[in-house]
Amino acid sequence: MSTTPFRRGRKRVTHPSARLAERVARTLITIGGIGTILAVTLIMVFLLWVAVPLFRGASIGEARELQAAPPSARILAAGVDEYRVVGWTITADARATFVRLDTGAVLEERALCDGAAPTALAIDAESQRLALGFADGSARLGVLAFDNRVVGVDDARPEWRALAIGAVAATDGGVVRRASEEQWRVQRIDLRFDAPFDTGSKAPIRLIDQVESARGRTLALLDDAGQLALCRITERENILTGEITTAVERNAVAYALASGAAAPERLMLAGGGTMLYLAARDGTCERFDLRDLDRIALAEHVDLVDDPRPELASLRFVLGRTTLLAGDSAGRLDAWFPTKPDGATTVDGATLVRAHELARGAQAVAATASSQRSRVVAVGFADGAIELFNVTSSKDLGRVDAGAPIRALALAPREDGLVAWTDRGLRAWDLELGHTEATVAALFRPVWYEGYERPEQVWQSTSGGDDFEPKLGLWPLVFGTLKATFYSLLFGVPLAILAALFSSEFLTPRVRVPIKSTVEIMAGLPSVVLGFLAAIIFAPFVQSVVPAVLVGFVAIPFALLCGAHAWQLLPQRIALRFADWRRFLCIVAMIPLGVALSAWAGPWVECWFFGGDLEVWLSGRDGSAVGGWMLLFLPLSALVVAFANGRVLMPWLRGRSVAWKRAQCARADFARFAFNACATVALALVLSAVVSAAGFDARGSYVDTFVQRNALVVGFVMGFAIIPIIYTIAEDALSSVPEHLRLASLAAGATPWQTAVRVILPTAASGLFSAVMVGLGRAVGETMIVLMATGNTAVLDWNMFSGFRTLSANIATELPEAVRNSTHYRTLFLAALVLFAMTFAVNTAAEVVRQRFRKRAFQL
């Protein structure tokens, strides 16, 4: 008996280096995951840190009471210098008073002019230009300014050197303030007037106003004889003597005070001198059209006070001299400006509308003041209350109590201070208004901007004028992002999913591998290259062949389907022999045939449905509405016919074709395809004709005026950019479906196509959904293609032939030019936060749906 020696099993021991590598890898993966989460969180926190100050309220400091006796006469205008050192008032007795804002002491008081007292006076709060009218019909123009000069140690007076830093002292003709150890800022009052000139009036001037624009200086006046006139003033300088001569061109305005009407007490020229307002104490206001000085006409008659009992207490312009602030004795403050609505019956097509209702005080409006740099206004009431508003956003910025009835208000030019002249003296406040234009409603809801017919959502952050009204509505940018994503997914997702399905289920591995590699290489194309090609090549080409492009969306799929049904007509022996790469080449060959069919049919379709010129048809000047509805109803009709085909025609054919041979089934299938194609076109044509006959026109909705760089081009190019990503992930998901599911389906008698659609696609739904979501994220965040291939205009329409502006493109365009920490700057970061939130919400929803798909697939 032989014995076999006992063998002990070999002890398996993990090598220390492998264990070390495993620990290092685990640590690195953990650090990477935590770092990724932390980085994303920090990005969100930073965006919030920059954007949240937009919504902080204004800060108003404690009131400083200055011991200054208020002027005895009525205050017509008041103001503050840029550095809040000197305050000034102009009263009805034509005297200017300058006071120190640190103590309230009077620096200087002087008459505006020597000799005869003026009978009319006006001052522009923005430019601080004055106009005086006199009893003899003459007028004088002047300016109130401050001469600012920085003085160094060498030029400083001995008494200035004794000042502490920040201290203020009176000096001849102004004040001096020590800014630093070696610098003093000297501000001297500069009040000067030009020589008087004859306005052509024969009676004392009662009301006067002036405005300076690119067309020159314009003076409007109303005299005691009831004569209303407009004077255009030009100055010429003699190049030899330097003498300046003033020429006055007078244009009489047809005006007569109606019987029983209240006499006007306010005369105001709108910015540019294109409109003239005459307002009475009872709130009645007449607006004159001054565009053509040879044909000046009364444009409209408006009541600025609805209730007949209150009186008009205050009327002034805000920045730009277009919007009127009307305050009444009932404590209401409204903002009015002209708009040009459709169907206006006025001579200039404009209508004065109440756009914003700002204040509702308990007492009468006593005084108003407007900022020189934005649309912030202050309103003071008879009970001493003062409120601050932004006219555009209607944002209430704060409220203070002066403790006495308000006589005049002034906002500092830098919006950092507020001064009130009351019956008890001066009150001053430090201001930190923040971002007055930004509210949640102003950023995401329609706002009634100056000159617009109705409240709208608009993005227009900059302009060439200082009186520009910023329009920071984010919804057009969000809409543009959704529009770009919609059109790119509409083009890219079907192609990518179908291509992945065809590659994984119908191509041999020998053909599938190089095709997949080629498609993956396409993902490496830089987006800036695609955008450049879209802007320089695709957009001009598409514009030249728009009808053929539209036909191509039908003709190319039609050609591919025709080729597929024709392939079934081949004898089985030949079809099996060519079922490799040669079948794929035959399929590819159908694409040029579809392109050729599109090029041939495009002009015919343009002639039949679009009046021979698509761009003219889109403008609404020619042709019926049938063509536009065909673009919409053709894909919808295809879905209806496909549904009817699956529910009615296919069951009937299956019952009849039990004993048919392969050739008979192929011919019947081809006939079915031809019938379905004709039925689709016929149904779309009938629906389009019915809707068009009912009076509906697609123009102005998803089709409208053609722009070269439009959503159609962006959808094609950006769809081309997202196809490789979606295709790669989708193909991997389809290929990972267990093979036994395919074999079971085929063994049960299903065709490869039925297996792919009814078994493989549902099983791989989670992976396909992930692929689409990754493509969605790529489309939402795309910048360069959108920036270069569209007009980059922030518009709100689904028109496939117009451009748009996305959040990402807007940030890339405007952030380098935005002033740091300005409202514009922080709003761009808010746009980035909105984009972040949109992506986060979509990805979260996608992950929830994907997990549900995975659970269902796991049960298989």
Side-chain angles (χ1 to χ4, degrees), residues 61-67 84 101-103 416-420 425-431:
E62 294 294 329
R64 300 195 313 273
E65 184 174 354
L66 306 178
Q67 300 300 323
R84 293 194 295 150
L101 293 181
D102 59 336
T103 63
D416 56 352
L418 171 68
V419 179
L426 278 174
R427 299 289 187 277
W429 294 265
D430 293 330
L431 300 180

Side-chain angles (χ1 to χ4, degrees), residues 64 100 102 129 197 245 298 347 499 539 609 689 719 836:
R64 300 195 313 273
R100 290 174 53 175
D102 59 336
R129 293 183 176 274
F197 58 90
T245 58
L298 176 64
V347 294
F609 295 106
F836 184 94

Side-chain angles (χ1 to χ4, degrees), residues 83 147-169 171 175-188:
Y83 300 98
D147 180 20
N148 294 304
R149 185 167 57 94
V150 177
V151 175
V153 177
D154 296 337
D155 297 327
R157 298 179 182 178
E159 61 270 22
W160 298 354
R161 300 173 187 269
L163 294 175
I165 296 177
V168 179
T171 185
V175 293
V176 60
R177 181 176 186 176
R178 187 164 190 169
S180 65
E181 289 290 343
E182 299 181 352
Q183 287 185 338
W184 291 260
R185 183 178 302 278
V186 181
Q187 293 184 204
R188 289 188 169 88

Side-chain angles (χ1 to χ4, degrees), residues 552 555-557 559-560 584-598:
I556 295 176
L560 289 171
F584 178 74
L585 290 181
C586 293
I587 295 174
V588 173
M590 299 306 298
I591 297 178
L593 292 178
V595 174
L597 178 61
S598 304

Side-chain angles (χ1 to χ4, degrees), residues 53 135 187 262 307 380 391 435 501 563 590 630 682 731 771:
Q187 293 184 204
D307 194 332
V391 175
H435 306 281
L501 184 64
M590 299 306 298
M630 282 291 290
E731 203 277 338

Side-chain angles (χ1 to χ4, degrees), residues 112-129:
L112 293 180
C113 56
D114 300 329
T119 57
L121 186 150
I123 181 170
D124 181 7
E126 295 177 23
S127 63
Q128 296 181 359
R129 293 183 176 274

Side-chain angles (χ1 to χ4, degrees), residues 402-418:
I406 305 298
R407 298 187 57 185
L409 291 174
L411 281 167
R414 297 183 180 181
E415 294 184 351
D416 56 352
L418 171 68

Side-chain angles (χ1 to χ4, degrees), residues 145-328:
F146 291 90
D147 180 20
N148 294 304
R149 185 167 57 94
V150 177
V151 175
V153 177
D154 296 337
D155 297 327
R157 298 179 182 178
E159 61 270 22
W160 298 354
R161 300 173 187 269
L163 294 175
I165 296 177
V168 179
T171 185
D172 50 336
V175 293
V176 60
R177 181 176 186 176
R178 187 164 190 169
S180 65
E181 289 290 343
E182 299 181 352
Q183 287 185 338
W184 291 260
R185 183 178 302 278
V186 181
Q187 293 184 204
R188 289 188 169 88
I189 300 166
D190 184 12
L191 179 61
R192 60 183 183 276
F193 286 90
D194 299 334
F197 58 90
D198 186 14
T199 63
S201 293
K202 305 303 181 183
I205 297 175
R206 182 155 56 92
L207 298 175
I208 193 170
D209 196 15
Q210 62 91 29
V211 66
E212 189 169 4
S213 65
R215 300 195 301 177
R217 185 174 296 183
T218 303
L219 186 73
L221 53 94
L222 177 68
D223 59 28
D224 284 344
Q227 300 296 315
L228 182 62
L230 197 71
C231 299
R232 185 66 54 81
I233 304 169
T234 57
E235 295 180 345
R236 294 183 177 88
E237 182 179 0
N238 190 316
I239 59 176
L240 298 178
T241 64
E243 181 182 0
I244 297 177
T245 58
T246 301
V248 180
E249 178 186 355
R250 178 185 171 94
N251 297 87
V253 181
Y255 168 75
L257 185 63
S259 177
E265 295 187 359
R266 292 176 176 85
L267 181 149
M268 305 177 72
L269 276 170
T274 57
M275 293 182 188
L276 173 65
Y277 296 95
L278 274 178
R281 181 178 292 274
D282 61 359
T284 57
C285 178
E286 295 174 303
R287 184 176 64 85
F288 292 84
D289 177 24
L290 307 181
R291 293 174 301 167
D292 187 350
L293 297 183
D294 295 328
R295 290 185 297 178
I296 299 175
L298 176 64
E300 63 177 329
H301 186 95
V302 182
D303 189 0
L304 300 178
V305 180
D306 290 337
D307 194 332
R309 288 175 295 175
E311 296 181 344
L312 186 64
S314 174
L315 188 66
R316 68 175 303 126
F317 285 116
V318 299
L319 182 68
R321 295 183 68 93
T322 298
T323 299
L324 281 170
L325 286 177
D328 59 29

